[in-house]
Amino acid sequence: MRPSPPALPRTAPAPRRTLRRAAPLLAAALAALAACTPRVVVPDAERERTRAALDGQQRYLRVAVTVHRLFGDGSRRLLLDAPAGEVDLLRGANDERLAPPPAELVLPPGTPVRVEQVEFPTGMVIARRVVMSPRYHPWVLLAVPGDPRPHVLVLPQTTATAADAVAEVERVLTADDPSPALAALTAEQRAAVLRKELVEGLPAAAVEMAWGLPERKRIDRPAGTEAWAWPEGRRSAWLQDGRLVRWERQP
């Protein structure tokens, strides 16, 4: 009589406790994955059109910009054409608006810059960026003479096409050097522009150099008047025959 074959070892079921412990880890991993999802997905074709239009291009600052630390990213600098108090790039734990760090200096109109790269917020790009930075926005990385650190022009999160990106960049950068127009101003006017301030009598182009391009212009050609407004209505200016006569700035 042949001996019976040895019984095969039975595989023990996984302890339920292990499964319970794995569930929170899986949930955390899914949450981290969701956090790396861009708010606006830009199609590949639009990214390529944007890069073809801007990457590697030599430009000049159209307006005076302030230079700040890029929030928690000390390796980069943030360029702003608007006052820091009007900027909405980063939110806190209670969804409050976080102001950028104090300005380090003002770069004048006509400063030459080179567009190194337009960087859209894909999942991998967001994960690579510093958490305390506007990492869900498209970034235009600029090279500024005399400073090896990358300078960042942050575009709105709603930027979804090449036309959107180019329009936003052209609010701050231009292919034509505005230095001759800045040099043609009086000493008082030029000093005001370099402080990003206004003085009575500034020509229209100098108002834009100092305060950035307005969001709206209401022009009455027969009367020769213009009413300009910047985003959120916190800054307004009135011109007569192309010269600044009055302005308001909300605290």
Side-chain angles (χ1 to χ4, degrees):
M1 187 172 178
R2 294 181 181 179
S4 300
L8 296 175
R10 298 178 62 186
T11 303
R16 292 185 179 180
R17 193 173 4 180
T18 303
L19 295 176
R20 284 198 297 268
R21 288 176 180 171
L25 295 176
L26 180 60
L30 291 174
L33 203 59
C36 291
T37 303
R39 308 282 178 88
V40 175
V41 178
V42 180
D44 289 343
E46 293 299 328
R47 293 181 197 169
E48 290 305 317
R49 290 190 188 100
T50 303
R51 292 176 182 132
L54 296 171
D55 282 14
Q57 297 295 308
Q58 187 69 40
R59 294 287 187 268
Y60 300 91
L61 290 180
R62 178 191 296 271
V63 300
V65 299
T66 50
V67 180
H68 309 250
R69 178 189 174 105
L70 186 62
F71 293 91
D73 187 350
S75 67
R76 304 175 192 272
R77 288 300 177 264
L78 171 68
L79 299 183
L80 295 179
D81 64 314
E86 298 178 17
V87 172
D88 187 5
L89 297 178
L90 192 62
R91 294 277 173 158
N94 298 317
D95 199 37
E96 73 277 17
R97 183 185 302 188
L98 300 180
E104 299 174 356
L105 71 154
V106 178
L107 294 178
T111 300
V113 299
R114 178 181 171 84
V115 180
E116 296 292 319
Q117 181 184 2
V118 180
E119 190 176 80
F120 289 96
T122 63
M124 291 184 62
V125 167
I126 292 170
R128 189 172 67 243
R129 290 174 175 175
V130 172
V131 172
M132 287 301 293
S133 70
R135 58 186 184 144
Y136 292 101
H137 293 250
W139 291 3
V140 181
L141 304 179
L142 303 174
V144 176
D147 192 336
R149 297 170 298 188
H151 288 61
V152 180
L153 183 62
V154 179
L155 305 186
Q157 285 183 313
T158 53
T159 304
T161 67
D164 292 342
V166 171
E168 286 295 328
V169 168
E170 288 181 347
R171 291 179 54 256
V172 181
L173 307 182
T174 177
D176 301 318
D177 186 1
S179 296
L182 179 65
L185 301 175
T186 67
E188 179 190 12
Q189 293 172 340
R190 191 162 52 251
V193 169
L194 298 182
R195 295 192 308 269
K196 290 189 66 63
E197 296 177 0
L198 303 183
V199 291
E200 187 175 352
L202 273 180
V207 175
E208 291 183 344
M209 287 183 190
W211 270 15
L213 273 64
E215 184 178 54
R216 298 184 308 278
K217 290 183 180 180
R218 191 173 67 249
I219 301 174
D220 183 345
R221 297 194 185 282
T225 61
E226 299 182 34
W228 294 9
W230 282 259
E232 300 186 4
R234 297 179 66 176
R235 289 177 292 148
S236 304
W238 291 264
L239 293 84
Q240 177 71 54
D241 299 324
R243 295 278 177 175
L244 181 67
V245 293
R246 186 164 63 91
W247 63 96
E248 290 180 356
R249 184 170 177 173
Q250 300 297 327

